[in-house]
Amino acid sequence: MEVQPCLSAPCRYDDCKETADWLLARTKQRPKVAIICGSGLGGLADLVEDKIVFPYKDIPRFPTSTVEGHAGQLVFGKLQDRECVCMQGRFHYYEGYSLHTVTYPVRVFFLLGVETLIVTNAAGGLNGNYNVGDVMVIKDHINLPGFCGQSPLVGCNDDRFGVRFLCMSDAYDRNLRALAIQTAHEQKCGSFLREGVYCMVCGPTYETIAECNLLQKLGADAVGMSTVPEVVAARHCGMRVLGLSLITNKAVTDYESNEKANHEEVLATTRLRTQELQRLVRHLVKKI
Ligand code: HPA
Protein backbone atom coordinates (compact mmCIF):
# COMPACT_ATOMS: atom_id res chain seq x y z
CA MET A 1 0.00 0.00 0.00
CA GLU A 2 1.24 3.46 -0.86
CA VAL A 3 2.00 5.63 2.17
CA GLN A 4 0.08 8.92 2.02
CA PRO A 5 2.31 11.98 2.35
CA CYS A 6 1.68 14.02 5.49
CA LEU A 7 0.29 17.35 4.27
CA SER A 8 -0.04 18.92 7.72
CA ALA A 9 2.34 19.75 10.56
CA PRO A 10 4.94 17.00 11.08
CA CYS A 11 4.51 14.64 14.05
CA ARG A 12 8.29 14.49 14.47
CA TYR A 13 8.44 11.04 16.07
CA ASP A 14 11.94 10.53 14.70
CA ASP A 15 13.13 13.85 16.15
CA CYS A 16 11.71 12.99 19.58
CA LYS A 17 13.35 9.56 19.37
CA GLU A 18 16.70 11.12 18.50
CA THR A 19 16.42 13.44 21.53
CA ALA A 20 15.34 10.61 23.83
CA ASP A 21 18.12 8.30 22.64
CA TRP A 22 20.68 11.10 23.14
CA LEU A 23 19.50 11.54 26.74
CA LEU A 24 19.31 7.78 27.43
CA ALA A 25 22.89 7.44 26.26
CA ARG A 26 24.01 10.08 28.79
CA THR A 27 22.29 8.89 31.96
CA LYS A 28 21.67 5.52 33.53
CA GLN A 29 18.53 6.90 35.15
CA ARG A 30 15.21 5.67 33.81
CA PRO A 31 12.62 7.94 35.45
CA LYS A 32 8.97 6.92 35.50
CA VAL A 33 7.89 10.35 36.76
CA ALA A 34 8.37 13.70 35.00
CA ILE A 35 7.68 17.08 36.57
CA ILE A 36 7.13 20.28 34.62
CA CYS A 37 8.02 23.25 36.85
CA GLY A 38 5.90 26.33 36.20
CA SER A 39 6.75 30.04 36.54
CA GLY A 40 8.92 30.54 39.61
CA LEU A 41 8.51 26.88 40.64
CA GLY A 42 11.81 25.69 39.24
CA GLY A 43 13.10 25.34 42.81
CA LEU A 44 11.55 21.87 42.81
CA ALA A 45 14.33 20.70 40.55
CA ASP A 46 16.92 22.08 42.98
CA LEU A 47 15.82 19.47 45.54
CA VAL A 48 16.68 16.61 43.25
CA GLU A 49 19.62 14.48 44.43
CA ASP A 50 22.27 12.72 42.31
CA LYS A 51 21.51 15.31 39.65
CA ILE A 52 22.42 15.15 36.01
CA VAL A 53 21.59 18.45 34.33
CA PHE A 54 21.13 19.03 30.62
CA PRO A 55 20.68 22.67 29.53
CA TYR A 56 18.08 22.74 26.77
CA LYS A 57 20.55 24.38 24.40
CA ASP A 58 22.79 21.29 24.60
CA ILE A 59 20.03 18.76 23.87
CA PRO A 60 19.64 17.90 20.19
CA ARG A 61 16.37 19.17 18.71
CA PHE A 62 15.16 20.54 22.05
CA PRO A 63 13.61 24.04 22.02
CA THR A 64 15.05 26.80 24.26
CA SER A 65 13.12 28.99 26.70
CA THR A 66 12.87 32.80 26.81
CA VAL A 67 10.89 33.81 29.93
CA GLU A 68 12.31 35.31 33.11
CA GLY A 69 11.94 32.81 35.99
CA HIS A 70 12.44 29.79 33.68
CA ALA A 71 15.94 28.32 33.82
CA GLY A 72 15.82 26.11 30.74
CA GLN A 73 17.21 22.73 31.67
CA LEU A 74 16.26 19.10 32.18
CA VAL A 75 17.24 17.77 35.59
CA PHE A 76 17.45 14.00 36.08
CA GLY A 77 17.84 12.66 39.60
CA LYS A 78 16.08 11.39 42.70
CA LEU A 79 13.34 12.94 44.81
CA GLN A 80 12.87 10.91 47.99
CA ASP A 81 14.72 8.03 46.31
CA ARG A 82 12.36 8.03 43.31
CA GLU A 83 14.00 8.65 39.96
CA CYS A 84 12.42 11.57 38.16
CA VAL A 85 13.12 14.10 35.46
CA CYS A 86 12.25 17.77 35.97
CA MET A 87 11.71 20.37 33.29
CA GLN A 88 13.06 23.56 34.78
CA GLY A 89 11.45 26.05 32.42
CA ARG A 90 8.65 25.22 30.01
CA PHE A 91 7.67 26.49 26.56
CA HIS A 92 4.65 28.70 26.12
CA TYR A 93 2.51 29.25 23.08
CA TYR A 94 2.73 33.02 23.66
CA GLU A 95 6.49 32.88 23.14
CA GLY A 96 5.76 32.05 19.53
CA TYR A 97 6.36 28.30 19.64
CA SER A 98 3.93 26.02 17.83
CA LEU A 99 1.99 23.67 20.08
CA HIS A 100 4.03 20.83 18.55
CA THR A 101 7.11 22.51 19.98
CA VAL A 102 5.44 23.31 23.32
CA THR A 103 4.65 19.61 23.76
CA TYR A 104 7.91 18.27 22.33
CA PRO A 105 9.42 17.56 25.78
CA VAL A 106 6.36 15.55 26.84
CA ARG A 107 6.77 13.26 23.85
CA VAL A 108 10.44 12.91 24.65
CA PHE A 109 9.46 11.94 28.22
CA PHE A 110 7.18 9.26 26.79
CA LEU A 111 10.06 7.84 24.76
CA LEU A 112 12.25 7.91 27.87
CA GLY A 113 9.72 5.59 29.53
CA VAL A 114 7.96 8.15 31.75
CA GLU A 115 4.52 6.98 32.88
CA THR A 116 3.35 9.81 35.15
CA LEU A 117 3.48 13.54 34.44
CA ILE A 118 3.16 16.14 37.18
CA VAL A 119 2.52 19.63 35.80
CA THR A 120 2.70 22.76 37.92
CA ASN A 121 1.81 26.29 36.98
CA ALA A 122 1.05 29.75 38.27
CA ALA A 123 -2.56 30.77 37.73
CA GLY A 124 -4.98 33.57 38.43
CA GLY A 125 -7.82 32.68 40.81
CA LEU A 126 -11.31 33.10 39.33
CA ASN A 127 -13.20 31.27 42.07
CA GLY A 128 -14.26 33.91 44.61
CA ASN A 129 -13.41 31.56 47.50
CA TYR A 130 -9.79 31.17 46.44
CA ASN A 131 -6.97 33.12 48.09
CA VAL A 132 -3.59 34.12 46.76
CA GLY A 133 -1.21 31.33 47.81
CA ASP A 134 -3.78 28.52 47.46
CA VAL A 135 -2.74 25.37 45.63
CA MET A 136 -5.38 23.96 43.29
CA VAL A 137 -5.34 20.31 42.30
CA ILE A 138 -6.58 20.42 38.71
CA LYS A 139 -9.73 18.33 38.39
CA ASP A 140 -10.41 19.23 34.78
CA HIS A 141 -9.57 21.88 32.23
CA ILE A 142 -11.10 24.10 29.58
CA ASN A 143 -8.96 24.19 26.47
CA LEU A 144 -9.94 27.61 25.17
CA PRO A 145 -7.26 27.64 22.43
CA GLY A 146 -8.53 24.19 21.45
CA PHE A 147 -11.95 25.72 20.77
CA CYS A 148 -10.21 27.91 18.19
CA GLY A 149 -8.34 25.10 16.47
CA GLN A 150 -5.11 25.27 18.48
CA SER A 151 -4.29 21.75 19.66
CA PRO A 152 -0.97 19.88 19.71
CA LEU A 153 -2.82 16.98 18.10
CA VAL A 154 -3.81 18.96 15.00
CA GLY A 155 -2.03 17.52 11.98
CA CYS A 156 -1.28 13.97 10.94
CA ASN A 157 -1.60 11.50 13.80
CA ASP A 158 1.31 9.22 14.60
CA ASP A 159 -0.12 6.03 16.11
CA ARG A 160 3.22 5.38 17.81
CA PHE A 161 2.28 8.23 20.17
CA GLY A 162 -1.46 7.64 20.45
CA VAL A 163 -4.90 7.51 18.89
CA ARG A 164 -6.42 10.02 16.45
CA PHE A 165 -9.47 10.86 18.57
CA LEU A 166 -8.50 11.14 22.19
CA CYS A 167 -10.91 10.89 25.13
CA MET A 168 -10.32 13.73 27.60
CA SER A 169 -13.02 13.03 30.20
CA ASP A 170 -10.43 11.32 32.39
CA ALA A 171 -7.54 13.70 31.72
CA TYR A 172 -6.53 14.23 35.35
CA ASP A 173 -6.02 10.92 37.10
CA ARG A 174 -8.51 10.37 39.92
CA ASN A 175 -6.12 8.29 42.04
CA LEU A 176 -3.33 10.85 41.72
CA ARG A 177 -5.72 13.64 42.70
CA ALA A 178 -6.79 11.69 45.79
CA LEU A 179 -3.13 11.00 46.61
CA ALA A 180 -2.31 14.70 46.26
CA ILE A 181 -5.14 15.69 48.60
CA GLN A 182 -4.18 13.02 51.15
CA THR A 183 -0.51 14.05 51.00
CA ALA A 184 -1.42 17.72 51.36
CA HIS A 185 -3.26 16.95 54.59
CA GLU A 186 -0.37 14.87 55.90
CA GLN A 187 2.04 17.70 55.07
CA LYS A 188 -0.15 20.33 56.75
CA CYS A 189 -0.92 21.94 53.40
CA GLY A 190 -4.64 21.07 53.60
CA SER A 191 -5.73 24.55 54.69
CA PHE A 192 -4.77 26.09 51.36
CA LEU A 193 -5.51 23.14 49.08
CA ARG A 194 -8.34 23.38 46.55
CA GLU A 195 -9.61 21.28 43.68
CA GLY A 196 -10.96 22.93 40.56
CA VAL A 197 -11.07 23.62 36.85
CA TYR A 198 -8.14 25.28 35.05
CA CYS A 199 -8.77 27.29 31.92
CA MET A 200 -6.00 27.93 29.43
CA VAL A 201 -5.82 31.22 27.57
CA CYS A 202 -3.09 32.09 25.08
CA GLY A 203 -1.73 35.19 26.84
CA PRO A 204 0.62 37.00 27.06
CA THR A 205 -1.96 39.62 28.08
CA TYR A 206 -3.69 39.03 31.38
CA GLU A 207 -7.46 38.90 31.06
CA THR A 208 -9.80 41.86 30.86
CA ILE A 209 -12.54 42.17 33.46
CA ALA A 210 -15.12 41.03 30.91
CA GLU A 211 -12.98 37.99 30.06
CA CYS A 212 -12.61 37.06 33.75
CA ASN A 213 -16.37 37.29 34.18
CA LEU A 214 -16.87 35.12 31.12
CA LEU A 215 -14.39 32.47 32.32
CA GLN A 216 -16.11 32.35 35.71
CA LYS A 217 -19.43 31.74 33.98
CA LEU A 218 -17.83 28.97 31.92
CA GLY A 219 -17.00 27.17 35.16
CA ALA A 220 -13.28 27.91 35.44
CA ASP A 221 -11.76 28.27 38.91
CA ALA A 222 -8.32 29.36 37.72
CA VAL A 223 -6.80 30.77 34.54
CA GLY A 224 -3.32 30.47 33.11
CA MET A 225 -1.27 30.43 29.94
CA SER A 226 0.16 26.92 29.94
CA THR A 227 -0.30 23.28 30.96
CA VAL A 228 -3.23 22.24 28.76
CA PRO A 229 -1.16 21.44 25.63
CA GLU A 230 1.28 19.36 27.68
CA VAL A 231 -1.59 17.50 29.33
CA VAL A 232 -3.20 16.79 25.96
CA ALA A 233 0.09 15.42 24.61
CA ALA A 234 0.72 13.37 27.77
CA ARG A 235 -2.76 11.82 27.65
CA HIS A 236 -2.26 11.11 23.95
CA CYS A 237 0.81 9.05 24.90
CA GLY A 238 -1.12 7.31 27.69
CA MET A 239 0.62 8.97 30.64
CA ARG A 240 -1.15 9.56 33.92
CA VAL A 241 -1.38 13.25 34.75
CA LEU A 242 -1.51 15.30 37.93
CA GLY A 243 -1.82 19.09 37.65
CA LEU A 244 -1.17 21.61 40.43
CA SER A 245 -1.89 25.34 40.06
CA LEU A 246 -0.48 27.86 42.48
CA ILE A 247 -2.94 30.75 42.73
CA THR A 248 -0.63 33.74 42.43
CA ASN A 249 -3.18 36.51 42.04
CA LYS A 250 -6.91 37.03 42.07
CA ALA A 251 -8.42 37.65 38.67
CA VAL A 252 -10.08 41.06 38.62
CA THR A 253 -13.83 40.81 38.02
CA ASP A 254 -15.00 44.19 39.29
CA TYR A 255 -14.75 47.53 37.44
CA GLU A 256 -14.33 49.39 40.74
CA SER A 257 -11.21 47.40 41.67
CA ASN A 258 -7.77 49.01 41.46
CA GLU A 259 -5.96 45.64 41.40
CA LYS A 260 -3.91 44.79 38.34
CA ALA A 261 -2.44 41.39 37.44
CA ASN A 262 1.31 41.56 36.86
CA HIS A 263 4.23 39.18 36.45
CA GLU A 264 6.08 40.52 39.53
CA GLU A 265 3.15 39.62 41.80
CA VAL A 266 3.02 36.17 40.21
CA LEU A 267 6.71 35.58 40.93
CA ALA A 268 6.47 37.04 44.47
CA THR A 269 3.62 34.65 45.38
CA THR A 270 5.46 31.64 44.00
CA ARG A 271 8.44 32.58 46.19
CA LEU A 272 6.15 32.68 49.25
CA ARG A 273 4.64 29.23 48.67
CA THR A 274 7.56 27.53 47.05
CA GLN A 275 8.64 25.63 50.20
CA GLU A 276 5.22 24.11 50.85
CA LEU A 277 4.64 23.24 47.23
CA GLN A 278 8.04 21.57 47.02
CA ARG A 279 7.35 19.57 50.17
CA LEU A 280 4.00 18.47 48.79
CA VAL A 281 5.42 17.31 45.46
CA ARG A 282 8.41 15.60 47.09
CA HIS A 283 6.21 13.51 49.38
CA LEU A 284 3.78 12.84 46.59
CA VAL A 285 6.46 11.52 44.25
CA LYS A 286 7.50 9.02 46.92
CA LYS A 287 4.00 7.50 46.86
CA ILE A 288 3.54 7.27 43.09
N1 HPA B 1 -4.04 35.05 34.11
C1 HPA B 1 -3.37 34.26 33.24
N2 HPA B 1 -2.26 33.64 33.55
C2 HPA B 1 -1.77 33.79 34.79
C3 HPA B 1 -2.41 34.59 35.75
C4 HPA B 1 -3.60 35.26 35.37
O1 HPA B 1 -4.22 36.01 36.15
N3 HPA B 1 -1.67 34.52 36.88
C5 HPA B 1 -0.63 33.70 36.62
N4 HPA B 1 -0.68 33.25 35.36
Side-chain angles (χ1 to χ4, degrees):
M1 196 180 72
E2 198 181 322
V3 176
Q4 293 294 315
C6 181
L7 301 176
S8 51
C11 328
R12 305 200 300 169
Y13 184 92
D14 293 339
D15 289 356
C16 294
K17 185 86 174 66
E18 183 186 329
T19 303
D21 287 346
W22 186 91
L23 289 164
L24 290 171
R26 280 158 185 80
T27 170
K28 289 199 169 56
Q29 302 199 23
R30 297 293 178 262
K32 295 271 181 260
V33 178
I35 305 171
I36 301 181
C37 306
S39 288
L41 299 170
L44 264 172
D46 296 333
L47 301 179
V48 167
E49 289 171 351
D50 300 334
K51 271 196 205 84
I52 307 181
V53 177
F54 300 101
Y56 295 159
K57 63 179 172 43
D58 296 343
I59 308 174
R61 306 204 176 274
F62 219 75
T64 46
S65 129
T66 66
V67 182
E68 192 192 331
H70 294 247
Q73 53 191 24
L74 279 189
V75 180
F76 285 73
K78 288 186 185 153
L79 268 181
Q80 305 277 122
D81 273 339
R82 283 290 308 237
E83 283 186 350
C84 61
V85 52
C86 296
M87 241 186 114
Q88 217 172 13
R90 60 144 61 84
F91 306 105
H92 300 88
Y93 186 65
Y94 64 73
E95 292 177 86
Y97 300 107
S98 73
L99 290 180
H100 289 102
T101 303
V102 168
T103 53
Y104 188 87
V106 174
R107 290 176 167 151
V108 171
F109 291 155
F110 167 64
L111 295 176
L112 291 177
V114 167
E115 293 169 355
T116 302
L117 179 70
I118 301 177
V119 273
T120 66
N121 61 47
L126 290 162
N127 185 319
N129 295 323
Y130 286 9
N131 299 308
V132 168
D134 284 350
V135 173
M136 184 184 86
V137 175
I138 305 179
K139 181 168 70 181
D140 200 353
H141 73 219
I142 298 172
N143 182 1
L144 220 47
F147 285 13
C148 314
Q150 297 296 329
S151 162
L153 304 187
V154 163
C156 58
N157 188 65
D158 193 321
D159 298 339
R160 288 171 291 182
F161 285 124
V163 296
R164 169 78 289 185
F165 299 105
L166 176 66
C167 172
M168 285 297 284
S169 54
D170 56 352
Y172 297 86
D173 188 271
R174 194 181 294 166
N175 294 332
L176 288 177
R177 283 193 279 132
L179 200 63
I181 292 166
Q182 183 202 330
T183 310
H185 287 291
E186 286 165 9
Q187 293 303 315
K188 311 270 181 283
C189 298
S191 63
F192 55 85
L193 197 83
R194 314 283 178 173
E195 198 176 20
V197 174
Y198 175 89
C199 179
M200 183 197 174
V201 291
C202 285
T205 51
Y206 290 109
E207 299 65 44
T208 64
I209 293 171
E211 286 165 350
C212 288
N213 283 316
L214 172 73
L215 297 180
Q216 273 184 339
K217 289 198 178 77
L218 290 179
D221 296 298
V223 55
M225 306 174 193
S226 67
T227 300
V228 166
E230 292 111 311
V231 171
V232 170
R235 292 301 297 147
H236 188 229
C237 304
M239 289 182 206
R240 298 195 305 161
V241 172
L242 175 73
L244 298 173
S245 292
L246 174 58
I247 306 301
T248 53
N249 56 292
K250 284 183 99 130
V252 181
T253 53
D254 168 10
Y255 286 96
E256 300 307 313
S257 168
N258 289 323
E259 302 227 359
K260 291 181 178 194
N262 63 83
H263 192 51
E264 289 65 40
E265 184 191 5
V266 168
L267 292 181
T269 310
T270 56
R271 276 195 291 275
L272 274 183
R273 263 292 180 250
T274 205
Q275 298 291 331
E276 282 109 330
L277 201 59
Q278 286 172 10
R279 196 168 74 238
L280 175 59
V281 173
R282 218 172 57 222
H283 285 87
L284 195 63
V285 164
K286 188 168 61 176
K287 296 182 186 175
I288 289 175

